[in-house]
Amino acid sequence: MQVQANGIPIEVEDSGGTGPAVLLVMGLGMQLIAWPDTLVRELAQAGYRVIRHDNRDVGLSRIFGDARMPNLVWAMLCQRLGLRVRAPYLLDDMAQDALGVLDALGVPQAHVVGVSMGGMIAQRMALAAPQRLLSLTSVMSTSGARGLPGPTRAVARAMLRRPDVDDRQAVLAHSVKFFQLIGGPGFVVPEDELRARVAAALGRAYHPRGVLRQLLAIMADDTRAALLARIATPTLVIHGREDPLVPLAGGEDTARRIAGARLQVIDGMGHDLPAALVPRLLPLLLAHFEGHSRSSPAA
């Protein structure tokens, strides 16, 4: 279904129920269907109301097609020189979208779980509206602090060598290879399964320029690291030891900057959420949620 959130239409999936809400916030260019079905089902069976949404500019949510075409090379140069990166919208706006989803569904508080860019959005939610979060979980994400290591050379090259956006088969092949590149050695996804996942996403919605605009929003968010010390929300940071896209140092720095945050490092995990990872993730999430199911201190 679609709801009006922060003044724009946002696509939402809601498991319903009367239990504590869990809001799942997906990463760069990824749709709500990227959350493993087993994770969503197990959380719901544990008594939680599971809410997923497509971030703006991806999936079935509002697409900002009237915004100017992003110049990624120029933005990368500005970022390297410490200059301001201009973006059509900010992670703050995406955090307000997510809070708006809770508003539209009448949910006063939720456990918020964000992966990659979604972890950054979740951090921004905790900064903007701490009373709305029962807990925060930041997965395979980063503080965004300057000086942290970036992607491996192979991953960086793959990100820059994008195929012709009008050639769906080339996009499919490139995406499969990219996910193989960033996946973890301990949770390898069979190629046919990976191809099916990518094909399902492409068939549901395809907005490559929206992904670039989201990337600009990440690059423009250069003040978040200095603000993380303000977060009082109970925080769990989960990161893969073999993450080649957002190295472990990003998760370590996030946990270091948020008082009381607990860091859980998973061996063999890269930058992906395969179904095989759910048995490792689920107990960590449930223990974190169960320990912080009442109103947060900042409420």
Side-chain angles (χ1 to χ4, degrees):
M1 64 177 176
Q2 284 205 338
V3 302
Q4 285 293 314
N6 193 25
I8 62 174
I10 295 290
E11 183 72 14
V12 174
E13 291 282 350
D14 179 5
S15 72
T18 59
V22 176
L23 179 68
L24 303 178
V25 188
M26 191 33 77
L28 175 69
M30 303 298 288
Q31 304 175 50
L32 63 82
I33 60 172
W35 291 100
D37 290 338
T38 52
L39 177 63
V40 175
R41 183 171 60 252
E42 292 288 347
L43 288 174
Q45 290 178 352
Y48 291 94
R49 178 181 179 181
V50 185
I51 301 166
R52 297 172 290 164
H53 69 284
D54 287 333
N55 289 310
R56 62 168 63 193
D57 242 350
V58 75
L60 305 181
S61 290
R62 163 73 187 279
I63 303 303
F64 287 72
D66 53 346
R68 62 182 174 82
M69 179 62 182
N71 187 328
L72 185 57
V73 175
W74 175 251
M76 292 173 65
L77 179 60
C78 288
Q79 186 182 47
R80 179 167 295 185
L81 295 176
L83 302 176
R84 180 184 177 189
V85 175
R86 296 185 179 275
Y89 49 79
L90 303 173
L91 292 187
D92 270 325
D93 298 312
M94 302 177 82
Q96 291 301 321
D97 295 345
L99 291 167
V101 167
L102 298 181
D103 291 339
L105 298 178
V107 176
Q109 290 186 309
H111 299 284
V112 177
V113 181
V115 299
S116 196
M117 180 188 72
M120 305 172 202
I121 293 171
Q123 294 166 28
R124 279 291 178 185
M125 292 175 69
L127 288 167
Q131 74 280 5
R132 304 296 301 275
L133 277 70
L134 291 168
S135 72
L136 165 64
T137 305
S138 183
V139 185
M140 63 178 87
S141 193
T142 178
S143 65
R146 289 183 64 83
L148 289 173
T152 63
R153 289 185 178 181
V155 171
R157 284 196 300 267
M159 293 179 71
L160 290 174
R161 293 176 182 172
R162 295 180 177 272
D164 181 351
V165 296
D166 295 322
D167 186 341
R168 293 296 183 93
Q169 288 305 310
V171 171
L172 175 61
H174 174 81
S175 298
V176 169
K177 289 182 179 179
F178 184 72
F179 281 114
Q180 289 175 328
L181 189 61
I182 65 175
F187 302 91
V188 177
V189 180
E191 184 171 335
D192 57 344
E193 180 182 332
L194 196 53
R195 184 174 294 274
R197 281 170 48 186
V198 174
L202 290 174
R204 182 173 182 264
Y206 178 57
H207 305 292
R209 290 178 176 83
V211 179
L212 294 180
R213 289 188 288 268
Q214 288 186 348
L215 183 55
L216 281 187
I218 293 174
M219 298 172 70
D221 194 42
D222 58 0
T223 63
R224 191 178 72 257
L227 301 175
L228 293 185
R230 300 181 185 178
I231 294 180
T233 303
T235 300
L236 172 65
V237 177
I238 301 174
H239 216 104
R241 192 177 300 280
E242 284 77 33
D243 192 328
L245 180 60
V246 181
L248 175 58
E252 292 174 331
D253 194 61
T254 302
R256 181 181 66 81
R257 290 173 181 270
I258 299 176
R262 184 165 63 92
L263 174 64
Q264 180 69 51
V265 180
I266 299 180
D267 291 332
M269 175 181 169
H271 201 86
D272 193 14
L273 279 182
L277 188 61
V278 173
R280 293 292 307 275
L281 284 179
L282 186 64
L284 298 175
L285 294 175
L286 291 178
H288 186 51
F289 298 162
E290 290 165 6
H292 306 288
S293 291
R294 298 183 179 181
S295 296
S296 60

